[in-house]
Amino acid sequence: MKQKSLTLLVFSLLTSLPLSAMNYAHVTLTELQPTPQNALWSRTTQVTPAYPIEMAMQGIAGCAVFNLSIDSEGKIQSIDVVTTVPAKGIAKAAKKELKKWQWHNTTGKPNAPEQKTLRLDYCMGGNSEAEAAARCELQAKVECSE
């Protein structure tokens, strides 16, 4: 219960600023499982999904966790939403971008299927990209749930 209260507090603090204070947005990608150093498959391009326009225009921060299934050829077979806050607005746009990612094996081990869990944090606020990124760093430390 304490974690849930902390999550709600962080999200309410991050989303309660006046829109005039939210000039910058930032998206942070965290690879939860397997950790990047233990992963078989790595992204060929390191492009993080863009902030959904509808959320940015309304000054909404949020997060989402996804499970990705990558086959033995490095192609995404499925993308499942584990959780998303807020419930609407993130999943559709993020899944569209995640489907575009290309994967390659950089380990020297034989190709094999792999399950990945990724987290995306969407943060707004501050007068610089650095301030928005700092908000994302804080937000990524709390559980992504309502």
Side-chain angles (χ1 to χ4, degrees):
M1 190 65 165
K2 186 175 182 181
Q3 181 67 32
K4 186 174 184 176
S5 298
L6 179 61
T7 301
L8 292 173
L9 175 64
V10 169
F11 279 108
S12 65
L13 288 173
L14 294 173
T15 59
S16 63
L17 295 172
L19 285 177
S20 61
M22 293 193 228
N23 299 329
Y24 291 86
H26 185 78
V27 180
T28 297
L29 168 70
T30 307
E31 293 186 34
L32 302 173
Q33 293 293 328
T35 58
Q37 59 271 24
N38 295 324
L40 178 66
W41 296 101
S42 299
R43 293 180 291 144
T44 57
T45 56
Q46 300 298 313
V47 177
T48 301
Y51 210 105
I53 298 257
E54 301 80 27
M55 287 177 58
M57 290 176 62
Q58 295 175 32
I60 298 172
C63 62
V65 176
F66 299 91
N67 282 333
L68 283 68
S69 294
I70 301 172
D71 69 14
S72 60
E73 300 299 316
K75 297 187 184 337
I76 292 183
Q77 293 302 300
S78 66
I79 301 171
D80 299 311
V81 178
V82 175
T83 187
T84 175
V85 176
K88 294 183 180 181
I90 295 178
K92 184 177 179 181
K95 282 176 76 171
K96 183 177 179 181
E97 291 299 315
L98 294 174
K99 285 179 184 178
K100 295 178 186 178
W101 286 0
Q102 302 293 313
W103 298 87
H104 67 286
N105 181 346
T106 58
T107 65
K109 297 177 184 175
N111 287 358
E114 184 171 64
Q115 300 293 314
K116 290 189 172 286
T117 304
L118 305 175
R119 176 178 170 149
L120 293 169
D121 283 282
Y122 298 86
C123 311
M124 296 200 74
N127 293 314
S128 69
E129 174 66 18
E131 287 182 32
R135 288 177 181 274
C136 260
E137 188 175 318
L138 175 65
Q139 180 177 306
K141 293 179 181 177
V142 298
E143 187 177 345
C144 182
S145 65
E146 289 190 275

